């Protein structure tokens, strides 16, 4: 889950690398580094390892005269989220070989690195880090010393290395060339006006070019100023696939907000509006053309299995209800990291929906692959065009939320909720399980979500005021029933990951089976109490909490005085049907967690110990 950037032929190589790394920081940020080939055929390398400040230190450590000398040269940069070895300078990328003839950056995990390192050490190589990456530098060193060209040595790695990797390197004797190779972890090549670019993520290069290409699985590349060549593992030249990216470069910036998270909370009406755009009519007609699955196959689906991790898993839990309520077929949900290791026989005619904001979460990707190996139909729901999961699935549905930089998912989560509703309505439409009037009522409701989100967010100030009152509380319990439960889970996850506060989420009816013994004066219970058929039951659960001394905050409908009278504080949201309620109910809980985290002085965009894209198990 690290980030890679490469630039050659630009008059601002060093500054450009730092800029690219800043755009990639959300992929990991415990250390960072760059390497550029100097005109004197030496590798200039600079690295830093400061939690939250690596790039700043990198920039400060780069003397002006050096920047001037590095013009037009080939350079690579890396921002790291540690997997092998602590986040120290010596473990920061780029890594070099014994003679510093080349420098390598890498994203992923080299599974056979232990054996490779042992053999290399026996042959006299000296290792300077604890990383799996360093074997790459020494392997290349040997291959090149044995007479291979750098290009051929890189291609040979595709056969030698096991695991997932995206790697880039520069060599001292080829000052204008970046070499790259990948398996599983993505790499994007860009070419514009005499400049060659490489990145693990389009966000890093979008400001420089939209002329982008995907480096395929098990392919290697040579990138020179304004030109590049791609090869397969046998060295046969390949034609790379162009990528069409619709994001604006502005969408990748903070847009005047103090942090990405508040910008992304604010962007939620648009994220949902764009996600549903053109996909459903007020009449209830649905169009999911890019899904690219034959209507007959979709109509024949008899059950749905949704798999995901984290916030995407919570979206799946809510999406299941839409599938059951509208398409009237069984829908199960599984956590991807569990599903991938179960001996699960997935019945034929199951539709497996793998949900991942990044499209690169290892567990979700492998769960999806496991389903595919059983020849069931899979759909990937993701926000990242061309991401890993989109390349190995029957169908793809994109949430069109734009890049989400904040580590805590907000706009992508609500876009996932809306998109799963569109999918459920599509299946219902094909199966004919809803009447014309029902279909249209559902569609009207989904279509009204962007304006309802906007209306809800007008209450942000009130949500903040309530949250400030609880900024010092120690234990939170988030409760909900049916569609309120995924909202409770998501609210608790937000508080945990941003404010570093213990927050447990339970189906409200489950409290009396054990967890209620934790409740005591000082406990804060956040209950999702929007009006639904289960409102009375949930309020009975609230009474049980209050009787044991808990303070209760309710996510309730605007103007619901009855609920307000039974709790200590209310987070008011517009009324909405129960199936669509998670989209609205989660919003005050995002703001709540954000406010508590800010009150504690935490960096909401980069919570400790987390990375945006989880490409390790
Ligand atoms: O990219 P994905 O949606 O697959 O990511 C899944 C989780 O890692 C992610 O939702 C995580 O839980 C977020 N930090 C939640 O805010």
């Amino acid at each position: 889950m690290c980030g890679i950037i490469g630039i050659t032929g630009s008059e601002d190589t060093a500054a450009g690398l730092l800029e690219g790394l800043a755009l990639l920081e959300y992929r990991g940020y415990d250390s960072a580094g760059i390497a550029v080939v100097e005109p004197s055929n030496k590798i200039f390398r600079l690295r830093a390892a400061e939690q939250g400040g690596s790039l700043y230190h990198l920039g400060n450590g780069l003397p002006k005269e050096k920047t001037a000398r590095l013009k037009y040269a080939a350079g690579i940069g890396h921002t790291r989220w540690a997997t092998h070895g602590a986040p120290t300078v010596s473990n920061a990328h780029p890594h070099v070989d014994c003679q510093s003839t080349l420098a390598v950056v890498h994203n992923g995990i080299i599974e056979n690195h232990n054996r490779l390192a042992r053999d290399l050490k026996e042959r006299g190589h000296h290792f300077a880090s604890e990383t799996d990456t360093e074997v790459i530098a020494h392997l290349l060193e040997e291959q090149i010393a044995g007479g291979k060209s750098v290009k051929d040595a890189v291609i040979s790695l595709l056969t030698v290395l096991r695991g997932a990797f995206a790697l880039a390197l520069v060599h001292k004797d080829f000052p204008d060339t970046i070499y790259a190779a990948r398996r599983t972890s993505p790499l994007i090549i860009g070419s514009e006006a005499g400049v060659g670019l490489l990145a693990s993520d389009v966000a890093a290069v979008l400001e420089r070019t939209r002329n982008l290409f995907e480096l395929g699985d098990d392919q290697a590349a040579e990138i020179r100023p304004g030109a590049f060549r791609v090869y397969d593992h046998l060295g046969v030249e390949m034609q790379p696939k162009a990528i069409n990216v619709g994001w604006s470069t502005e969408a990748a910036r903070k847009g005047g907000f103090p942090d990405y998270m508040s910008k992304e909370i604010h962007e939620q009406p648009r994220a949902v509006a764009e996600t549903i755009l053109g996909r459903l009519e007020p009449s209830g007609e649905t169009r999911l053309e890019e899904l690219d699955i034959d209507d007959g196959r979709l109509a024949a689906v008899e059950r749905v299995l949704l798999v995901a991790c984290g916030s995407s898993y919570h979206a799946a839990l809510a999406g299941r209800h839409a599938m059951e309520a509208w398409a009237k077929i069984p829908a199960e949900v599984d956590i991807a990291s569990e599903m991938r290791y179960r001996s699960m026989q997935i019945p034929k005619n199951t539709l497996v929906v793998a949900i991942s904001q990044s499209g690169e979460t290892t567990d979700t990707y492998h769960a999806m692959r496991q389903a595919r190996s059983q020849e069931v139909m899979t759909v990937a729901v993701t926000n990242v065009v061309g991401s890993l999961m989109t390349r190995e699935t029957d169908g793809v549905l994109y949430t069109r939320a734009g890049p989400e930089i904040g580590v805590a998912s907000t706009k992508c989560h609500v876009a996932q909720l809306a998109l799963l509703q569109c999918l459920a309505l599509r299946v219902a439409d094909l199966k004919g399980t809803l009447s014309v009037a029902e279909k249209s009522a559902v569609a009207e409701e989904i279509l009204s979500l962007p304006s309802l989100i906007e209306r809800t967010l007008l209450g942000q100030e009130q949500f903040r005021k309530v949250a400030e009152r609880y900024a010092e509380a120690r234990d939170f319990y988030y409760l909900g029933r049916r569609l309120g439960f995924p909202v409770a889970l998501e609210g608790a996850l937000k508080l945990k990951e941003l404010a570093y506060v213990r927050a447990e989420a339970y189906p409200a009816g489950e409290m009396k089976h054990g967890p209620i013994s934790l409740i005591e004066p000082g406990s804060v219970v956040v209950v999702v109490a929007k009006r639904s058929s289960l409102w009375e039951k949930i309020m009975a659960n609230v009474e049980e909490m209050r009787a044991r001394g808990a303070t209760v905050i309710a996510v309730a409908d605007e103007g619901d005085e009855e609920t307000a009278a039974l709790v200590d504080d209310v987070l008011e949201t517009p009324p909405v049907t129960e199936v669509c309620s998670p989209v609205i109910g989660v919003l005050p809980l995002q703001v709540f967690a954000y406010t508590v985290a800010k009150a504690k002085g935490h960096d909401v965009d980069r919570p400790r110990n987390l990375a945006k894209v989880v490409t390790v198990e």
Side-chain angles (χ1 to χ4, degrees):
M1 53 190 91
C2 313
I4 291 175
I5 173 87
I7 301 176
T8 179
S10 163
E11 57 177 9
D12 67 345
T13 299
L17 291 173
L18 293 179
E19 244 173 63
L21 289 179
L23 290 164
L24 283 171
E25 265 191 300
Y26 66 97
R27 292 190 69 112
Y29 38 76
D30 59 34
S31 52
I34 59 171
V36 187
V37 188
E38 298 201 43
S40 54
N41 290 93
K42 271 209 288 321
I43 302 272
F44 167 75
R45 180 168 64 140
L46 193 64
R47 298 180 293 168
E50 263 88 14
Q51 174 79 19
S54 300
L55 281 185
Y56 171 80
H57 287 274
L58 214 55
N60 269 2
L62 193 65
K64 280 213 167 52
E65 59 282 13
K66 189 61 100 180
T67 314
R69 285 185 62 216
L70 299 177
K71 273 187 175 183
Y72 304 109
I76 51 175
H78 187 269
T79 173
R80 177 171 188 249
W81 188 85
T83 55
H84 287 79
T88 58
V89 172
S90 59
N91 286 332
H93 300 213
H95 292 286
V96 294
D97 60 321
C98 297
Q99 305 301 324
S100 289
T101 58
L102 56 90
V104 183
V105 294
H106 157 236
N107 184 9
I109 290 177
I110 308 296
E111 285 175 358
N112 53 341
H113 79 100
N114 275 330
R115 191 183 52 75
L116 291 170
R118 193 194 58 217
D119 294 351
L120 284 159
K121 282 176 192 165
E122 275 172 18
R123 295 197 292 270
H125 289 266
H126 170 71
F127 278 66
S129 78
E130 307 157 305
T131 65
D132 52 339
T133 303
E134 199 180 337
V135 295
I136 301 169
H138 295 285
L139 282 171
L140 288 167
E141 178 184 18
E142 270 196 358
Q143 299 275 338
I144 296 163
K148 277 204 168 107
S149 67
V150 182
K151 178 198 94 183
D152 288 342
V154 172
I155 292 172
S156 74
L157 291 176
L158 294 169
T159 320
V160 177
L161 301 180
R162 286 215 321 265
F165 53 85
L167 62 94
L169 61 118
V170 286
H171 189 285
K172 71 174 184 58
D173 294 337
F174 302 93
D176 69 346
T177 310
I178 299 168
Y179 301 88
R182 70 162 284 256
R183 176 182 305 141
T184 308
S185 306
L187 275 179
I188 312 289
I189 300 170
S191 177
E192 187 82 37
V195 176
L197 297 156
L198 178 78
S200 52
D201 194 312
V202 287
V205 288
L206 216 50
E207 287 178 23
R208 291 176 173 260
T209 185
R210 282 175 186 268
N211 194 26
L212 296 167
F213 301 84
E214 176 187 315
L215 184 62
D217 225 4
D218 278 305
Q219 290 185 351
E222 276 178 309
I223 300 142
R224 297 209 173 85
F228 62 89
R229 297 177 110 167
V230 170
Y231 307 91
D232 72 3
H233 67 290
L234 299 172
V236 178
E237 192 162 346
M238 308 292 289
Q239 208 46 47
K241 212 166 96 196
I243 308 177
N244 192 4
V245 184
W247 291 345
S248 71
T249 36
E250 189 50 32
R253 294 179 183 273
K254 286 186 193 162
F257 287 89
D259 39 62
Y260 283 112
M261 186 175 174
S262 35
K263 169 176 168 274
E264 288 161 5
I265 286 176
H266 174 84
E267 285 173 347
Q268 292 182 106
R270 209 187 65 215
V272 170
E274 294 198 359
T275 296
I276 60 180
L277 187 76
R279 286 172 165 161
L280 76 166
E281 297 294 329
S283 63
E285 294 305 306
T286 45
R287 267 191 313 276
L288 297 177
E289 278 154 15
E290 82 284 44
L291 180 61
D292 210 22
I293 290 182
D294 177 56
D295 281 355
R297 278 185 86 197
L298 210 51
V301 164
E302 286 169 6
R303 59 187 64 74
V304 175
L305 172 62
L306 302 113
V307 288
C309 302
S311 294
S312 299
Y313 167 69
H314 303 155
L317 286 170
R320 152 214 237 162
H321 288 278
M323 202 54 91
E324 288 175 345
W326 303 335
K328 304 196 193 315
I329 49 175
E332 294 303 323
V333 183
D334 216 338
I335 291 184
S337 55
E338 289 295 311
M339 182 204 149
R340 63 181 287 201
Y341 293 113
R342 282 169 60 195
S343 326
M344 193 180 197
Q345 292 311 308
I346 307 173
K348 298 284 169 229
N349 289 337
T350 299
L351 173 66
V352 173
V353 184
I355 307 155
S356 171
Q357 175 280 131
S358 59
E360 283 176 32
T361 297
T362 287
D363 287 319
T364 312
Y365 167 68
H366 283 283
M368 190 184 82
R369 278 178 65 133
Q370 198 210 354
R372 285 202 100 201
S373 70
Q374 297 189 31
E375 291 171 14
V376 294
M377 202 176 2
T378 59
V379 171
V381 172
T382 182
N383 194 48
V384 182
V385 177
S387 57
L388 185 60
M389 284 170 53
T390 66
R391 292 180 235 142
E392 296 191 34
T393 178
D394 298 296
V396 183
L397 281 174
Y398 287 111
T399 47
R400 303 180 194 129
E404 189 177 69
I405 309 291
V407 167
S409 187
T410 51
K411 62 176 180 170
C412 283
H413 175 69
V414 294
Q416 287 169 346
L417 291 167
L419 188 48
L420 290 173
Q421 288 165 2
C422 293
L423 179 62
L425 190 56
R426 177 77 189 144
V427 178
D429 196 10
L430 292 170
K431 284 186 166 294
T433 46
L434 293 179
S435 69
V436 172
E438 285 168 332
K439 245 175 35 177
S440 154
V442 166
E444 296 271 10
E445 179 95 2
I446 302 173
L447 288 165
S448 71
L449 284 174
S451 60
L452 286 174
I453 297 173
E454 214 160 306
R455 192 166 123 200
T456 311
L457 291 177
L458 291 177
Q460 276 189 79
E461 195 43 45
Q462 190 249 338
F463 304 155
R464 271 196 285 270
K465 280 195 180 128
V466 173
E468 275 158 11
R469 290 202 274 277
Y470 296 92
E472 298 304 322
R474 205 193 58 181
D475 294 313
F476 286 80
Y477 300 87
Y478 282 67
L479 307 182
R481 295 185 85 125
R482 258 167 66 105
L483 280 128
F485 177 50
V487 176
L489 279 167
E490 180 60 10
L493 177 62
K494 289 281 130 341
L495 193 69
K496 281 184 272 209
E497 68 181 329
L498 295 167
Y500 319 149
V501 171
R502 259 187 298 280
E504 303 276 357
Y506 288 103
E510 193 61 18
M511 286 299 280
K512 60 177 85 63
H513 298 288
I516 198 165
S517 60
L518 292 167
I519 301 294
E520 59 188 359
S523 306
V524 179
V525 171
V526 180
V527 62
V528 184
K530 291 183 69 60
R531 289 285 171 160
S532 73
S533 54
L534 293 180
W535 180 83
E536 282 176 357
K537 291 194 189 301
I538 200 139
M539 293 320 287
N541 298 137
V542 164
E543 280 309 306
E544 291 156 10
M545 301 304 119
R546 281 169 61 90
R548 281 150 186 91
T551 304
V552 179
I553 307 167
V555 176
D557 285 348
E558 281 163 4
D560 183 349
E561 287 172 12
E562 205 181 344
T563 302
L566 295 171
V567 299
D568 298 280
D569 268 305
V570 177
L571 302 167
E572 281 198 331
T573 57
V576 59
T577 59
E578 194 186 353
V579 183
C580 291
S581 64
V583 176
I584 301 304
V586 76
L587 305 172
L589 301 184
Q590 296 169 344
V591 178
F592 189 94
Y594 174 95
T595 309
V596 175
K598 282 291 215 189
K600 290 181 182 299
H602 298 327
D603 180 343
V604 289
D605 285 339
R606 300 184 300 180
R608 69 184 182 197
N609 303 337
L610 292 178
K612 183 69 180 163
V613 189
V614 184
T615 52
V616 290
E617 285 193 56

